[in-house]
Amino acid sequence: MNKWGKGIKAAAFDLDGTLYFGNKVVEGALELVAFLKERSIHVQYFTNNSGKSRQQIYDKLTALGFELKIDDLSTSAYATAKFVKERGWDPIYGVGSSAFLSEFSSFGLKLTNEHKLVKAVVIGLDVEFSYAKLAEVLAVVKKNKCKIVACNVDANYPVENGNLMPGSGPIVSAIENACEKKVDYIIGKPNTYMLEDLAQEHKLKKHEILVVGDSYASDVRMAHHFGCPSILISGTHKKHKKTLVVRRLKDIQRMLHA
Ligand SMILES: [Mg+2]
């Protein structure tokens, strides 16, 4: 695979639409991961999914046949909790599922409804988001100078049968609109916090990480922002600088064999 494969020490794989669709593993995914590991290339699993905890997604991956340690999985929810913890923003006000909020608790961060105490509002996918919750966030943000941290601003995400569901993005937009303020940080793809973490944890240089994903807007743009090569699993997008476009995961393995 020429310049893309040279010197690669880690591959960061997107999950939905790349390694699996719903509960179905993509053809060639398990073989490609095994092939990379045989060549001592670290495999990291990346997802913007903020509706589930890292443990839940880890359990899904292992049930689908992927062999990994939990630290091999980077999720936008986990990364957001880590980010907020590192900055000492505690307590927090959370918008998101109970699984999402549990990530913050696991870092020892406290959730509070006391508006004046809130140091950061954190936003993930919340399928029960409502006008009442929006009003609550507005009250929190107007009462103090807390930070607003979003897991991601994905417009939607794919579900079974090719249908789409609204993502965290519309929730973030509603909050920004109501509060007349942009969020301070967006942690998930296409921003680079998860890649920076991977590089730091495994002492990798930028060019040693290869991003593989099916989304130009999140996966390829994350790689581009970070400055590392990427492979887009698609036949429809225009080729991007430093991006190789392939139709199937199997093609990557074949190129590496060459
Ligand atoms: Mg995807």
Side-chain angles (χ1 to χ4, degrees), residues 14-20 46 158 189 213-215 218-219:
D14 169 56
L15 301 185
D16 242 315
T18 301
L19 294 183
Y20 56 69
F46 268 58
K189 302 181 278 186
D214 70 313
S215 165
S218 67
D219 304 317

Side-chain angles (χ1 to χ4, degrees), residues 71-143:
D71 285 337
D72 299 340
L73 172 59
S74 306
T75 78
S76 70
Y78 181 84
T80 301
K82 190 175 178 190
F83 179 88
V84 169
K85 175 69 179 179
E86 283 169 357
R87 277 148 190 83
W89 296 332
D90 188 27
I92 56 166
Y93 182 84
V95 175
S97 65
S98 57
F100 167 73
L101 299 175
S102 73
E103 292 289 21
F104 295 85
S105 307
S106 69
F107 273 95
L109 295 162
K110 291 179 293 297
L111 294 157
T112 184
N113 289 318
E114 290 259 0
H115 296 175
K116 282 182 186 164
L117 299 179
V118 174
K119 295 287 190 300
V121 172
V122 297
I123 310 166
L125 182 65
D126 187 346
V127 297
E128 290 169 4
F129 189 65
S130 64
Y131 189 82
K133 284 191 183 180
L134 184 58
E136 187 91 10
V137 175
L138 174 59
V140 170
V141 171
K142 290 295 179 190
K143 237 167 233 165

